Amino acid sequence: MTAKNSSVTEFILAGLTDQPGLRMPLFFLFLGFYMVTVVGNLGLISLIGLNSHLHTPMYFFLFNLSLIDFCYSSTISPKMLMSFISKKNIISHPGCMAQLFFFCFFVISESFILSAMAYDRYVAICNPLMYMVTMSPQVCLLLLFGVYLMGFVGAMAHTISMARLTFCADNIVNHYMCDILPLLEHSCTSTYVNELVVFIFVSFDIGVPIVTIFISYALILSSILHMHSTEGRSKAFSTCSSHMIVVCLFFGSGAFMYLQPPSVLSLDQGKVSSLFYTIVVPMLNPLIYSLRNKDVKVTVRKTLDRRIFS
């Protein structure tokens, strides 16, 4: 999706810092983050895939969340690491549009998979007797199809509107990836349509999942407060706490980045805030679900015991 009338054939990604003394420490820091992200998410994917007792709707969505996080991080981190060890971190115009597409696809898919997980918890806690009927394999697949469809539609809208722009003059992008707002700074043509697309799709892609999650947890809280068993309340809270932590981290950092006017949020501040939902959240998700989920911890322990025994 290269703009035919673009005078810019490549971009230079400025990265996080222009201070030489910080480049190598930051390279090893974010390389460590990326390795933890890859090992954690692939480990969770393998654990869920290989253990049949984890083949439930809850872990079906967790499997896809880990898959999205792995792909999401792999779209951004390798090119980001290059900015620390190369003098000019160059990316071609088609490569930039491709990175933008996959970034948008995975970040939007993650927002909707989190809302699907909230709905799953609502059914499990508020209507447990009908859980396996309500969350049948057909329903789970339909929800997953909707998640990836929303990701594809949003990514296409942002990428097509960006590809139609003409970029000229300074081609140094003040970011570590091809993000929407930094690229708009280099357009020689009107960005009104792009800003409208960003406003509509970001409002929808953040607003709809947040409303779904809020309603789900409001109903869950109401159901928990009506429970007479202390053990039942504790179990309900424990199954929801991991998801709520992930939701707060992801949507909090994303809303801070995109729901503020550019005049209020500078690009340097935007780079720092975007680190949370592009680098930190995909790394923390498997750790949060592993450390706070009893089933996952027990399965990991049994798997390790089998390996050691064999």
Side-chain angles (χ1 to χ4, degrees):
M1 293 183 181
T2 307
K4 294 180 180 179
N5 57 344
S6 175
S7 58
V8 171
T9 58
E10 60 185 26
F11 296 99
I12 299 173
L13 300 176
L16 275 178
T17 181
D18 57 358
Q19 299 182 32
L22 293 176
R23 287 177 176 267
M24 290 312 295
L26 287 175
F27 170 79
F28 287 108
L29 174 65
F30 286 103
L31 178 62
F33 284 175
Y34 182 55
M35 291 175 67
V36 172
T37 302
V38 171
V39 172
N41 284 291
L42 288 182
L44 203 52
I45 289 170
S46 302
L47 197 70
I48 295 170
L50 295 175
N51 291 274
S52 58
H53 70 280
L54 295 181
H55 294 176
T56 63
M58 174 183 172
Y59 292 102
F60 172 76
F61 291 118
L62 182 54
F63 178 95
N64 281 277
L65 176 66
S66 294
L67 180 62
I68 289 170
D69 280 335
F70 169 70
C71 298
Y72 180 27
S73 180
S74 298
T75 299
I76 296 164
S77 293
K79 198 62 183 172
M80 176 191 182
L81 292 172
M82 286 294 295
S83 66
F84 296 122
I85 58 176
S86 60
K87 292 183 178 180
K88 286 187 177 181
N89 188 18
I90 298 173
I91 184 169
S92 66
H93 188 281
C96 188
M97 294 300 107
Q99 188 187 54
L100 176 65
F101 172 83
F102 286 110
F103 160 66
C104 292
F105 175 75
F106 289 121
V107 76
I108 294 170
S109 297
E110 177 144 349
S111 68
F112 281 97
I113 199 84
L114 289 173
S115 64
M117 294 172 77
Y119 175 72
D120 171 72
R121 291 299 84 206
Y122 154 72
V123 177
I125 293 172
C126 299
N127 197 7
L129 296 178
M130 295 295 292
Y131 178 65
M132 295 310 295
V133 176
T134 306
M135 299 302 294
S136 65
Q138 293 80 6
V139 172
C140 291
L141 288 173
L142 189 62
L143 286 172
L144 188 65
F145 174 76
V147 165
Y148 289 126
L149 179 63
M150 290 296 100
F152 178 77
V153 171
M156 286 296 292
H158 289 299
T159 308
I160 290 173
S161 64
M162 188 66 68
R164 55 175 285 277
L165 296 178
T166 299
F167 298 98
C168 54
D170 184 14
N171 65 340
I172 300 177
V173 179
N174 187 20
H175 213 290
Y176 55 84
M177 65 176 183
C178 290
D179 201 356
I180 298 168
L181 299 181
L183 287 174
L184 293 181
E185 294 286 317
H186 297 274
S187 174
C188 299
T189 52
S190 173
T191 60
Y192 173 77
V193 173
N194 299 76
E195 292 168 5
L196 188 62
V197 168
V198 169
F199 176 78
I200 293 172
F201 278 88
V202 171
S203 299
F204 181 83
D205 295 332
I206 291 180
V208 170
I210 284 179
V211 169
T212 303
I213 292 167
F214 179 81
I215 293 173
S216 297
Y217 277 103
L219 295 171
I220 288 171
L221 182 61
S222 175
S223 179
I224 290 174
L225 294 176
H226 286 85
M227 289 180 180
H228 300 292
S229 168
T230 305
E231 184 181 350
R233 289 184 181 183
S234 176
K235 185 178 180 180
F237 274 120
S238 67
T239 59
C240 297
S241 59
S242 300
H243 184 255
M244 282 306 300
I245 293 170
V246 171
V247 166
C248 292
L249 285 171
F250 180 77
F251 285 105
S253 56
F256 182 79
M257 174 68 181
Y258 285 101
L259 296 184
Q260 291 195 65
S263 57
V264 175
L265 184 71
S266 70
L267 287 180
D268 288 329
Q269 290 175 310
K271 280 195 293 186
V272 175
S273 65
S274 62
L275 280 174
F276 285 93
Y277 67 89
T278 58
I279 305 297
V280 177
V281 171
M283 177 187 69
L284 291 180
N285 282 354
L287 298 178
I288 292 170
Y289 278 104
S290 298
L291 297 176
R292 298 185 62 86
N293 189 296
K294 184 179 178 180
D295 291 336
V296 172
K297 287 191 288 187
V298 170
T299 304
V300 169
R301 195 177 299 116
K302 287 181 178 179
T303 303
L304 291 176
D305 289 343
R306 285 200 302 268
R307 296 290 183 186
I308 295 170
F309 181 77
S310 61

